[in-house]
Amino acid sequence: GLARAVLAADTALLLNDEVDSDLSGATCAVCRVEGLADPGARRLAAAHVGDCRVLLGRREEPTRRGEAVRWRTVRLTEDHRPDSPDEARRLLAAGARVQRAQFTV
């Protein structure tokens, strides 16, 4: 599924000699929708890697006649941000290093 596809892309980058995988990063967000023909069997799968997120827009029907259709956003993923304590712990436990980039603008 989605996890296998993301891992394959990650492996391809790690094996590419032209990419400095120690100091590089990437983001990816993908969704897969199943069961479009059967509304009772619809499923949505979302996966993400890096500093990105997946949001879903939900249409809310008007409650009064003449009222405009409104949309509500639903967060489907949690951010992978190294400045988040939980994410920093996960990265360090996996053998990665977390450091702030030093540069001037």
Side-chain angles (χ1 to χ4, degrees):
L2 293 177
R4 194 169 42 243
V6 170
L7 286 172
D10 186 52
T11 300
L13 284 172
L14 287 172
L15 296 176
N16 185 336
D17 291 337
E18 295 179 19
V19 175
D20 181 354
S21 61
D22 287 336
L23 297 175
S24 297
T27 63
C28 173
V30 293
C31 292
R32 182 181 68 213
V33 179
E34 297 175 347
L36 289 175
D38 181 3
R42 286 187 188 151
R43 291 183 47 184
L44 174 67
H48 71 120
V49 176
D51 188 8
C52 62
R53 65 180 60 141
V54 178
L55 302 173
L56 173 71
R58 285 208 111 119
R59 181 181 168 153
E60 296 182 340
E61 295 299 325
T63 55
R64 288 184 233 128
R65 188 179 185 138
E67 188 177 55
V69 172
R70 301 184 83 190
W71 288 85
R72 178 173 58 95
T73 57
V74 179
R75 179 183 262 181
L76 298 181
T77 58
E78 291 296 321
D79 292 352
H80 293 165
R81 298 191 49 103
D83 58 348
S84 158
D86 288 342
E87 182 65 5
R89 279 191 290 277
R90 185 190 72 78
L91 291 167
L92 293 170
R97 79 174 171 234
V98 178
Q99 67 185 46
R100 188 171 298 276
Q102 301 295 322
F103 60 92
T104 57
V105 178

